[in-house]
Amino acid sequence: MSNVLVYSSMAVYTLAFLAHIAEWVLGSRSKVGRTAAALTAEQQTAAAVEVRVEQQGGGTAVLEKPKVVTRSAAGRRDVPDGPGAAGGTEKGDLYGRIAISLTVLAFLVQAVGVVTRALSVQRAPWGNMYEFSTTFSTVIVGAYLGFLVAKKNVRWIGLPLVTTVLLDLGIATTWLYTDSDQLVPALHSYWLWIHVSTAIFCGAVFYLGAVATVLYLFRDSYENKLASGGNPGSFARSVLERLPSAASLDKFSYRINAAVFPLWTFTIIAGAIWAGDAWGRYWGWDAKEVWSFITWVAYAAYLHARATAGWKGRKAAYIALIAFGCFLFNYYGVNIFVSSKHSYAGV
């Protein structure tokens, strides 16, 4: 039953993927629309300057046409956020709302599939890589929808999100599927619920931060090219101009990585306590333990770099992506290619 629900959710996610594609395609604003928006911004700037002149001199002065400010200070830009994937168009917004509705439906179907799997085995539904993958992608979508419910402007994550979820579920159902079975005796512990659930949640949030970081690098290059007088291609303009500014993407990635980092610390501590109960030692330099710690060090380095003047921006972003790469290797690489005490989680 759970497999049928997972496949059903994949079908709905596919429809959501197509709706997001339509959102981006139909939301591509025309040259007339972009020009009108630019003129409106210039008129607002001119009106603000005129008001300041009247307040200071008591009269109205004729000023030169204001120019669009790209950089407000050295190393910083005064760039507004883009209009979003819908591009400010009604059709784009309509398809975006359809995509979100389909994503919600797919999430509910997938969540029921995860619960059904748990009921069939009478334990936590993450005892092997197949179960972990289906639960992991469910939590990722849940975290994304949580941001939307909180009125956060994150609809730009929608397309890469459903693409990743479809890839994750495709790998899970094709190569990682394992029949329902009971766990080895050492894993029958309440720490399974605590340790693995926090690891899944941390990975889901780290994923959202990684998507924001990748988009930040593209948007930052786009803004750099504009600032240096370059002329980006039409595709880059159509896509990247609709994203939040590089500063907003960088701030979003930093905040959610920083917020979940203490929970990842707790995940490692909880795993050590569980290892002490199950295997009689808290730390044994097992491959999974080592790579969990490497991931912790990498994210700690990112947070430190983000607070260091010379390493802010792109350098810190590269460290964030390396840290997420460590998480992915800990998830896939260690379980598949490395023999360890955590080999129970293999395919």
Side-chain angles (χ1 to χ4, degrees), residues 89-106:
T89 64
E90 292 185 4
K91 275 192 174 182
D93 184 65
L94 174 62
Y95 278 97
R97 292 178 183 276
I98 292 174
I100 296 300
S101 300
L102 290 170
T103 302
V104 172
L105 176 59

Side-chain angles (χ1 to χ4, degrees), residues 321-341:
L321 292 181
I322 291 173
F324 185 67
C326 292
F327 176 86
L328 288 180
F329 182 78
N330 190 31
Y331 171 32
Y332 284 108
V334 172
N335 285 352
I336 295 176
F337 302 111
V338 181
S339 177
S340 71
K341 283 184 173 292

Side-chain angles (χ1 to χ4, degrees), residues 22 32 88 94 101 111 113 121 163 205 223 226 248 279 285 298 329:
V32 174
L94 174 62
S101 300
V121 294
T163 304
V205 179
E223 291 180 6
L226 289 177
S248 296
W279 299 319
W285 298 103
F329 182 78

Side-chain angles (χ1 to χ4, degrees), residues 162-177:
V162 295
T163 304
T164 304
V165 170
L166 282 171
L167 179 63
D168 175 74
L169 292 178
I171 293 174
T173 55
T174 304
W175 290 296
L176 302 180
Y177 179 76

Side-chain angles (χ1 to χ4, degrees), residues 72-346:
S72 58
R76 299 186 62 186
R77 299 188 188 91
D78 186 13
V79 179
D81 291 339
T89 64
E90 292 185 4
K91 275 192 174 182
D93 184 65
L94 174 62
Y95 278 97
R97 292 178 183 276
I98 292 174
I100 296 300
S101 300
L102 290 170
T103 302
V104 172
L105 176 59
F107 165 74
L108 294 175
V109 173
Q110 186 181 3
V112 173
V114 171
V115 172
T116 302
R117 177 82 172 198
L119 293 175
S120 68
V121 294
Q122 295 295 307
R123 57 167 173 78
W126 41 73
N128 50 62
M129 286 192 68
Y130 168 76
E131 295 174 354
F132 190 99
S133 295
T134 54
T135 306
F136 181 54
S137 56
T138 303
V139 176
I140 288 177
V141 178
Y144 165 67
L145 296 177
F147 278 109
L148 290 178
V149 171
K151 305 297 183 182
K152 301 299 182 182
N153 180 25
V154 294
R155 259 175 56 176
W156 42 270
I157 297 181
L159 181 57
L161 174 85
V162 295
T163 304
T164 304
V165 170
L166 282 171
L167 179 63
D168 175 74
L169 292 178
I171 293 174
T173 55
T174 304
W175 290 296
L176 302 180
Y177 179 76
T178 303
D179 290 330
S180 300
D181 199 1
Q182 295 302 313
L183 299 176
V184 296
L187 300 180
H188 285 285
S189 170
Y190 60 88
W191 283 107
L192 175 67
W193 292 91
I194 299 173
H195 170 63
V196 183
S197 64
T198 53
I200 291 173
F201 179 77
C202 289
V205 179
F206 282 150
Y207 163 80
L208 296 179
V211 172
T213 301
V214 171
L215 295 179
Y216 156 75
L217 292 172
F218 282 109
R219 173 77 188 203
D220 185 63
S221 297
Y222 175 76
E223 291 180 6
N224 279 333
K225 193 165 187 177
L226 289 177
S228 61
N231 184 27
S234 59
F235 178 79
R237 285 185 177 275
S238 175
V239 174
L240 297 178
E241 73 176 3
R242 284 183 274 167
L243 294 175
S245 67
S248 296
L249 290 168
D250 184 42
K251 184 184 297 184
F252 175 81
S253 176
Y254 168 70
R255 285 181 174 178
I256 63 176
N257 282 330
V260 81
F261 179 73
L263 189 59
W264 181 249
T265 305
F266 169 77
T267 301
I268 296 177
I269 295 173
I273 296 174
W274 186 14
D277 290 343
W279 299 319
R281 76 338 177 244
Y282 294 101
W283 191 266
W285 298 103
D286 182 74
K288 180 72 72 173
E289 297 168 350
V290 170
W291 276 97
S292 295
F293 180 67
I294 290 174
T295 303
W296 184 91
V297 171
Y299 273 107
Y302 162 70
L303 296 177
H304 177 72
R306 191 61 174 65
T308 304
W311 281 83
K312 287 183 178 180
R314 299 183 69 88
K315 292 180 180 179
Y318 292 138
I319 298 177
L321 292 181
I322 291 173
F324 185 67
C326 292
F327 176 86
L328 288 180
F329 182 78
N330 190 31
Y331 171 32
Y332 284 108
V334 172
N335 285 352
I336 295 176
F337 302 111
V338 181
S339 177
S340 71
K341 283 184 173 292
H342 291 78
S343 295
Y344 69 89

